[in-house]
Amino acid sequence: NKNARVWIVVCDMGDLNDEAKKGFDTVMRELTERDTFDALFLFHNAGYLGDVSKKALKLNDVENWSDFLNANFVNMVLLNNLILKWITNLTCHNRYIINMSSILAVQGFASFTQHACGKAAREAFFRGLAAEEPHLRVLNYAPGPVLTDMYKIVQEKSYDPVIRNAYTVNENGNSAAKSDVHNAQLTPEQTVTKLIRILNDDQYESGAHIDYFDDEEQN
């Protein structure tokens, strides 16, 4: 799009320090001084998987937990609130907040305890935000098992052989085994297409959790 204008702020979401916040404030000030907006789409996708090599009772490292929650939850909240401080309902009437969630936020599975904690905390925050801010359109979208580097980490490092097999692709492109947490491999294009359709339809309840596989049989 030749008319697109792009601003880039480089930061580490594991360490959203004062310098990074100043960078965002500078960009947001410039944006809001120049224009009003038809719509805001804020996608929260940054984060990492957590330690899948240990059972829940072995996750005892305080520094590991602190780093994980800062990157996956605390700094996400701070960035969300920083953006919404600048893009208010007066600046933009159509504000969409999309949290990339997981089935793990609402259902527990072996090997994913730490990851599930991060996802559940994020969903709890966004449900509260949706209840408090009726002018926002908040969506918790679970994209399904997408073929990314995180997928490979589960294949290689999960302590649970059933989970490792479920995330291992055989020569036919299918899982070597099935599990409740995983019933298909998806490409990023597949799950993003579904997400865009949900946003275009705009029929969901603000704060809702929607999974890629919801209503797929009908669609």
Side-chain angles (χ1 to χ4, degrees):
N1 186 336
K2 294 180 180 180
N3 295 319
R5 288 177 292 167
V6 179
W7 284 258
I8 297 174
V9 179
V10 178
C11 77
D12 179 358
M13 286 301 291
D15 182 22
L16 193 63
N17 55 33
D18 289 340
E19 182 179 355
K21 292 175 187 176
K22 287 178 182 177
F24 279 109
D25 277 331
T26 299
V27 168
M28 297 309 298
R29 182 179 296 107
E30 182 176 349
L31 285 172
T32 53
E33 285 176 351
R34 294 175 58 148
D35 292 302
T36 56
F37 303 93
D38 295 326
L40 165 71
F41 290 88
L42 179 54
F43 292 86
H44 291 293
N45 192 44
Y48 65 95
L49 189 58
D51 191 345
V52 296
S53 69
K54 296 183 178 71
K55 292 185 176 183
L57 290 176
K58 299 293 185 181
L59 295 169
N60 298 320
D61 188 305
V62 174
E63 185 175 355
N64 174 273
W65 271 110
S66 179
D67 290 345
F68 175 81
L69 290 173
N70 278 334
N72 287 273
F73 176 60
V74 176
N75 290 334
M76 182 277 302
V77 171
L78 297 179
L79 178 61
N80 180 83
N81 294 351
L82 186 154
I83 301 297
L84 293 180
K85 176 186 73 174
W86 288 100
I87 309 293
T88 67
N89 191 50
L90 295 176
T91 306
C92 177
H93 292 303
N94 302 298
R95 295 179 297 164
Y96 294 81
I97 314 298
I98 299 92
N99 171 41
M100 303 308 291
S101 188
S102 170
I103 189 176
L104 301 167
V106 295
Q107 188 173 350
F109 294 96
S111 195
F112 293 99
T113 300
Q114 192 170 55
H115 187 61
C117 288
K119 292 297 187 183
R122 288 166 69 123
E123 284 222 14
F125 172 79
F126 283 114
R127 286 195 298 271
L129 181 66
E132 293 174 356
E133 302 292 337
H135 295 297
L136 294 174
R137 295 288 290 143
V138 179
L139 173 65
N140 295 294
Y141 177 66
V146 185
L147 291 166
T148 65
D149 287 342
M150 282 189 178
Y151 197 100
K152 296 176 184 176
I153 291 171
V154 178
Q155 289 177 3
E156 297 171 359
K157 296 188 176 181
S158 172
Y159 78 84
D160 189 330
V162 174
I163 296 294
R164 287 200 306 274
N165 286 337
Y167 276 76
T168 299
V169 180
N170 61 27
E171 62 274 11
N172 298 318
N174 299 315
S175 295
K178 294 292 183 183
S179 76
D180 291 338
V181 74
H182 178 281
N183 54 17
Q185 296 93 26
L186 302 172
T187 66
E189 291 78 10
Q190 283 177 295
T191 195
V192 168
T193 297
K194 173 85 178 261
L195 173 57
I196 291 172
R197 189 176 78 224
I198 293 168
L199 292 173
N200 279 333
D201 292 344
D202 202 10
Q203 296 299 307
Y204 59 90
E205 180 181 356
S206 187
H209 173 104
I210 298 179
D211 191 280
Y212 173 88
F213 294 104
D214 290 350
D215 302 322
E216 275 303 292
E217 289 185 4
Q218 291 90 329
N219 294 323

